[in-house]
Amino acid sequence: MAENNITQSYENWNENVVNKTLSRFPEQKADYTLDSGMELKRLYTPLDADLDYETDLGFPGQYPFTRGVQPTMYRGRHWTMRMYAGFATAEESNKRYRYLLEQGTSGLSVAFDLPTQMGYDSDDAISMGEVGKVGVAIDSLADMEILFDGIPLDKVSTSMTINAPAAILLAMYIAVAEKQGVTPDKLNGTIQNDILKEYVARGTYIFPVKPSMRLITNIFEYCSKEVPKWNTISISGYHIREAGATAVQEVAFTLADGIAYVQAAIDAGQNVDDFAPRLSFFFNAHNNLLEEVAKYRAARRLWAKIMKERFGAKDPKSWQLKFHTQTAGCTLTAQQPDNNIVRVAIQTLAAVLGGTQSLHTNSRDEALALPTEESVMIALRTQQIVANESGVADTIDPLAGSYVVESLTNSIEVEATALIKKIDDLGGAPSAIEKGFIQQEIMDAAYKYQKDIEDGSKVIVGLNKYQVKEAPPKGLLRVDPVVEEMQKSKISELKAKRDNSAVADALARLREVCLSSGNVMPQILAAVRVYATLGEICGVMREVFGEYR
């Protein structure tokens, strides 16, 4: 049908069919605007999906990767089902990891407690009351050995959600592998290692921006030579979205951070094609299925253009945006928590239809506490049902060609590009963060989202509509306060039996490297091997680099 014919037919349909229907049955909402501010039209036609197939879509595994980074996608193998877990002690978390592997997970994802994320040992006064609460407490290589006891590190892929002290936890992982007889070149996994989003959305930073960026580029350089299969960063939009950003902002701010990391590595003398293939991303999966699918497709296409055109990368692997997805914790409700199973299923579909490489599904009770084993199994089974029963994994990019999905993909790319341009004009992501631009954008979006919930224009089932009287929840997982005392005892015993002179020497050499322009990774690894604690290593770097305020 010619363009003019579609236009004329649409106008006739709108006037003669829709308007008559609206006079009898008004639409349920006066405003169908998405959280990003984009209007969701009543109907989409070929006129809305304005694209050139070869240029804008292409084929899976080929530039610009709109349709996916793998030629056969899930027909080759399913995404990595990676359940985020960790609580209390290394012993308790090791039991959970073994349970998850028995239930069919294909990768591990480590949650660390707050002191570990902030670079403090469990016996530090500042750690009081937080040890083992939101993740596992890791104070030294001894804890890491227990955490992965009986888990062959050459057979599993491990993701670690750690940022400011990422170099130290990676060094511990390498050292555990060595003790298992596994060389670094055999290791597969990811460290989050994304400090920029910590300054705007999460808060577990330690050092100022400049030394933090140095640590990240040191990891890029070290792993490109020593741990070549390791994803050296997971540039994270997840926490940006959890803080209140829209889908467009999630794409724009995440890719802007990615641009900053690539530029920092190039400025440090690294060749873009040496490190770019090991960059990875981490996105949120929210409830609006169509917008989320379009978001992932737009992000892939935009990153391919950035790497090829802006940075001149030559290796096609450098153009690929590979990403892990986690379902949206901020959408889960404490009210009627079983409803969260449905929300997670929708978000799982969005991630899979959008072409994720890896996925964690949240559990129904996470708005109340750390998840129980039963809840975790339901969350994992959700992925397995989508993978094996829904049929959506049996063909590549099944929503391609949908007028609404292609239109939203184009719109999100255009809007995100405009936001990245604003950040570039402010001097790049670090400068935009220092000026408060990104923080203010997120705060404004979060305020609007909350306001829409409070005035009822956005319905959250069980929260502001369809409420019921509920009994207090039972059977929630609680971390025993005795965990803190156990960790303190472990540290005391470790310091009594290790070679403390070797530790002092290793920390002294680490201080020298930090004061120079050398790569810190080899010396961090040396300190880890002699059982220097996380807090001791971070303490040296705090002295040299200072702390971000």
Side-chain angles (χ1 to χ4, degrees):
M1 187 182 288
E3 185 174 314
N4 289 340
N5 290 345
I6 295 174
T7 302
Q8 184 62 52
S9 297
Y10 177 81
E11 290 172 354
N12 290 339
W13 170 79
N14 209 42
E15 182 176 345
N16 299 319
V17 179
V18 174
N19 288 338
K20 289 179 181 179
T21 301
L22 290 175
S23 66
R24 296 173 58 211
F25 304 108
E27 292 181 328
Q28 297 182 61
K29 294 191 288 188
D31 184 8
Y32 283 84
T33 303
L34 297 170
D35 294 333
S36 298
M38 298 182 296
E39 179 194 1
L40 191 64
K41 297 173 64 174
R42 180 182 294 123
L43 180 75
Y44 287 79
T45 72
L47 302 180
D48 298 295
D50 181 24
L51 52 85
D52 177 277
Y53 187 89
E54 292 285 347
T55 302
D56 298 322
L57 295 182
F59 290 91
Q62 293 183 344
Y63 185 87
F65 304 102
T66 311
R67 303 203 64 187
V69 296
Q70 300 295 346
T72 59
M73 280 305 283
Y74 307 133
R75 289 171 71 117
R77 70 177 180 90
H78 290 136
W79 59 93
T80 302
M81 298 181 192
R82 192 189 297 282
M83 299 301 293
Y84 185 49
F87 63 96
T89 62
E91 290 87 348
E92 287 294 314
S93 296
N94 177 263
K95 289 178 186 176
R96 177 64 65 89
Y97 294 157
R98 288 170 179 251
Y99 170 79
L100 288 170
L101 291 169
E102 289 168 3
Q103 296 302 319
T105 57
S106 46
L108 298 175
S109 185
V110 184
F112 297 99
D113 72 356
L114 193 56
T116 303
Q117 293 181 53
M118 298 295 292
Y120 292 107
D121 289 335
S122 296
D123 61 355
D124 195 296
I126 205 167
S127 301
M128 186 181 296
E130 292 293 341
V131 176
K133 286 292 178 66
V134 299
V136 61
I138 298 294
D139 293 311
S140 72
L141 176 59
D143 286 323
M144 206 70 151
E145 290 167 357
I146 296 168
L147 188 65
F148 292 103
D149 182 44
I151 299 172
L153 299 189
D154 57 342
K155 300 290 194 298
V156 300
S157 168
T158 302
S159 172
M160 293 188 281
T161 302
I162 196 72
N163 293 282
I168 302 165
L169 274 300
L170 174 59
M172 289 182 183
Y173 192 82
I174 292 169
V176 170
E178 289 173 344
K179 287 177 175 288
Q180 291 186 2
V182 178
T183 54
D185 62 302
K186 300 291 193 302
L187 296 176
N188 283 284
T190 305
I191 42 173
Q192 194 162 101
N193 196 27
D194 174 9
I195 201 63
L196 291 177
K197 65 93 175 49
E198 295 296 327
Y199 299 123
V200 299
R202 197 160 174 266
T204 63
Y205 45 74
I206 301 176
F207 314 112
V209 176
K210 189 173 180 179
S212 292
M213 295 293 278
R214 172 190 169 184
L215 288 172
I216 289 168
T217 56
N218 279 183
I219 292 170
F220 288 178
E221 181 184 36
Y222 181 83
C223 287
S224 68
K225 299 170 184 173
E226 305 294 334
V227 202
K229 295 179 182 178
W230 194 265
N231 294 319
T232 51
I233 193 168
S234 180
I235 305 163
S236 176
Y238 182 83
H239 305 96
I240 290 170
R241 191 70 179 277
E242 289 287 291
T246 67
V248 166
Q249 290 172 334
E250 182 186 358
V251 171
F253 299 155
T254 306
L255 299 196
D257 286 349
I259 289 167
Y261 294 129
V262 172
Q263 190 61 58
I266 290 171
D267 291 345
Q270 297 178 45
N271 181 286
V272 67
D273 287 317
D274 287 343
F275 66 85
R278 302 315 303 178
L279 303 179
S280 65
F281 290 79
F282 177 20
F283 288 115
N284 208 303
H286 251 246
N287 281 336
N288 193 310
L289 187 144
L290 297 175
E291 183 181 31
E292 293 301 288
V293 172
K295 177 187 77 179
Y296 304 127
R297 298 170 85 250
R300 257 196 311 269
R301 187 161 72 205
L302 184 50
W303 185 248
K305 292 177 181 177
I306 288 168
M307 293 307 294
K308 185 177 183 180
E309 298 171 11
R310 179 169 181 156
F311 290 111
K314 301 291 191 295
D315 186 344
K317 291 182 179 178
S318 298
W319 308 334
Q320 296 177 353
L321 183 146
K322 297 174 182 175
F323 66 99
H324 170 70
T325 308
Q326 181 174 336
T327 58
C330 65
T331 66
L332 304 183
T333 62
Q335 299 81 4
Q336 302 175 44
D338 283 351
N339 293 344
N340 295 327
I341 298 172
V342 182
R343 293 185 177 103
V344 169
I346 292 169
Q347 294 162 10
T348 300
L349 269 174
V352 172
L353 290 167
T356 192
Q357 277 63 65
S358 169
L359 178 61
H360 163 83
T361 35
N362 288 331
S363 299
R364 61 183 173 178
D365 48 4
E366 289 192 52
L368 297 161
L370 291 170
T372 62
E373 277 194 359
E374 180 187 10
S375 296
V376 167
M377 186 165 70
I378 293 170
L380 175 59
R381 294 289 183 258
T382 301
Q383 293 197 50
Q384 291 165 338
I385 289 168
V386 169
N388 296 289
E389 299 183 31
S390 71
V392 299
D394 296 344
T395 188
I396 304 167
D397 193 22
L399 294 188
S402 157
Y403 305 138
V404 61
V405 168
E406 297 299 358
S407 177
L408 288 175
T409 300
N410 291 345
S411 296
I412 291 171
E413 182 184 2
V414 168
E415 295 289 332
T417 300
L419 258 181
I420 291 171
K421 174 66 165 57
K422 287 185 180 180
I423 292 168
D424 284 342
D425 290 344
L426 290 169
S431 179
I433 290 166
E434 289 177 355
K435 293 172 182 175
F437 170 76
I438 294 175
Q439 296 95 310
Q440 189 63 53
E441 289 282 305
I442 295 172
M443 285 190 286
D444 290 346
Y447 175 77
K448 182 182 183 304
Y449 185 87
Q450 183 63 28
K451 185 171 176 291
D452 288 346
I453 292 173
E454 291 178 5
D455 68 21
S457 58
K458 178 178 288 296
V459 173
I460 307 296
V461 173
L463 178 64
N464 64 355
K465 198 171 184 179
Y466 311 114
Q467 299 101 325
V468 297
K469 287 187 177 180
E470 298 177 85
K474 296 178 181 178
L476 300 176
L477 178 63
R478 301 294 185 196
V479 176
D480 193 323
V482 76
V483 165
E484 186 168 326
E485 297 308 314
M486 291 169 61
Q487 284 300 117
K488 288 179 179 178
S489 295
K490 281 185 185 179
I491 294 173
S492 179
E493 291 171 12
L494 174 76
K495 290 182 177 178
K497 67 181 183 182
R498 70 185 183 181
D499 185 341
N500 285 299
S501 63
V503 171
D505 288 345
L507 294 175
R509 289 194 295 273
L510 174 61
R511 180 178 283 103
E512 291 173 6
V513 175
C514 289
L515 287 166
S516 73
S517 59
N519 192 310
V520 299
M521 272 301 297
Q523 198 50 52
I524 288 174
L525 187 56
V528 161
R529 285 180 178 133
V530 295
Y531 294 90
T533 68
L534 174 78
E536 289 170 334
I537 296 170
C538 279
V540 168
M541 293 195 288
R542 277 187 169 96
E543 290 173 16
V544 177
F545 299 147
E547 295 186 68
Y548 181 79
R549 300 294 183 191

